[in-house]
Amino acid sequence: IKVRSRGLQRRFLLAIPSGLPAAPERVPVIMNWHGFTESPHYVNKLTRMAETASRYGWIAVMPYGTGPEPTDTCCPVDCDVESCQNGRCLDNSNPCSFNSGAAGCCGAAVEQNVDDVQFARDIVQWLSENTCGDTNENVFSIGFSNGAMLSNRLGCEVADLFKAIAPVEGNIQVGEFGDDLAGCRP
């Protein structure tokens, strides 16, 4: 799926289980952010996010990070589609990343000052308009490594958007907030 975010065309994988309830009933949404050099396909393979969300009747979203060179896949150009979608190709030469707010970490998203916080907001807005996701009360964020760092940032800066976060192996280093979390929203 593509959304416009701060003038950029951004993408995310969307897993919607079959048999979701009819409107107006809403279901939880979980956003799973990949690590540095990884792809949404890879994080889905590692976590089985689409499968797990389907089992519980949740909507799963796996966003694409930003590479130094534009990429639609976060996979190397010589990687075939099947290998990319099975999470077998990682692109160390054009690594995708998210702007976690940590100075000097991690890659193009930070260097280009990509607004991944706004990207998260834009995804939630798109979900609100196009799915039965409960975007008012039941949006969750998880991530690994660089994706965990972004989950921490989202939990700090846009606590109104997420019910809970679950970062794995990624600390919080959010610019002006530092490690003390004093500037985080309640």
Side-chain angles (χ1 to χ4, degrees):
I1 305 291
K2 294 180 181 180
V3 295
R4 206 97 173 105
S5 185
R6 296 270 191 230
L8 300 173
Q9 191 80 286
R10 303 290 304 270
R11 297 181 63 224
F12 60 93
L13 294 180
L14 179 65
I16 298 182
S18 60
L20 288 180
E25 193 172 338
R26 298 286 189 173
V27 300
V29 173
I30 188 159
M31 299 175 82
N32 191 354
W33 306 88
H34 64 76
F36 183 65
T37 77
E38 296 175 355
S39 73
H41 299 288
Y42 186 70
V43 77
N44 184 47
K45 181 179 176 152
L46 289 176
T47 63
R48 297 183 180 139
M49 181 53 58
E51 176 186 324
T52 302
S54 181
R55 183 176 332 127
Y56 292 102
W58 288 33
I59 293 173
V61 174
M62 290 148 286
Y64 287 82
T66 300
E69 298 297 322
T71 176
D72 283 337
T73 64
C74 289
C75 288
V77 293
D78 60 347
C79 179
D80 63 86
V81 173
E82 182 183 352
S83 294
C84 181
Q85 291 180 349
N86 286 327
R88 289 191 292 248
C89 299
L90 300 179
D91 195 350
N92 293 320
S93 65
N94 189 35
C96 284
S97 63
F98 295 107
N99 185 352
S100 65
C105 181
C106 296
V110 171
E111 292 164 9
Q112 297 172 19
N113 199 27
V114 174
D115 193 344
D116 283 316
V117 173
Q118 184 61 47
F119 181 36
R121 285 191 177 280
D122 293 335
I123 291 171
V124 170
Q125 181 63 39
W126 186 92
L127 293 166
S128 174
E129 295 168 0
N130 296 284
T131 71
C132 63
D134 183 358
T135 56
N136 290 325
E137 303 213 7
N138 284 305
V139 179
F140 301 85
S141 179
I142 69 169
F144 174 74
S145 189
N146 178 230
M149 294 169 75
L150 179 60
S151 284
N152 274 316
R153 182 178 187 184
L154 295 172
C156 182
E157 291 185 29
V158 286
D160 60 310
L161 196 63
F162 295 96
K163 187 171 191 171
I165 62 168
V168 178
E169 293 293 324
N171 60 354
I172 186 166
Q173 295 179 351
V174 181
E176 68 190 37
F177 300 128
D179 290 334
D180 66 1
L181 307 180
C184 290
R185 296 183 62 179

